[in-house]
Amino acid sequence: MTPPHDPAYGTAPTGGWTPWGTWEPAVGRPVPAAPPVPAVPAPRPLGPGGIAVVVAGLVIGMVLAAVVGALLLRGAADDAGTAAGEAIGQAMFGGVSEDAGWYADPYAVGGLGPVEQTDPVPPGELGPDPVLDAYAQECFDGDLQSCDDLYMESAPLSDYEEYGSTCGGRVKAWTVPYCTELD
């Protein structure tokens, strides 16, 4: 088949590229056949044993990745935790004594030293709870265990809790961890 052409330019070419970007063989020449493409064999399906091997390999790979990741991150996390703890200890307590070791509680080694105590203060009206009122009165009367009980059983930020934390007005709030330590 020859493409249409303008007679002013002569006859149509025989063979070669056409103006439309296709190849036309020359008249009388056979078109060479493309080489055969080798057939790709279809994959064999995995049996139950093959699936088990693949799953076991995946599980072992994930476990190994987790172990390696944990080992790599462990050292960095320990260093970060130690640095954060030291910074907090420095900010809150002005540093941790060497005697305290890893425990930064100021009460743990030698306490805070002597605690300034004053005479107890009457509880007054702390709230509507008769049980907590009884603890407050016993705390004022000198039963320091009642002061601790009042602190532990009262609602956070309540007047009961504040009175218990002062051991009945004997110390500043939260100066001692337990009022029974004043004995």
Side-chain angles (χ1 to χ4, degrees), residues 18-19 23 30 53 77 82 107 118 122 129 134 139 142 147 160 166-167 183:
T18 66
W23 179 263
V53 168
T82 301
Y107 302 114
T118 61
D129 190 324
C139 175
C147 298
Y160 290 117
T166 64
C167 302
D183 287 335

Side-chain angles (χ1 to χ4, degrees), residues 70-81:
L71 290 175
L72 290 174
L73 294 176
R74 180 179 172 211
D78 286 346
D79 294 343

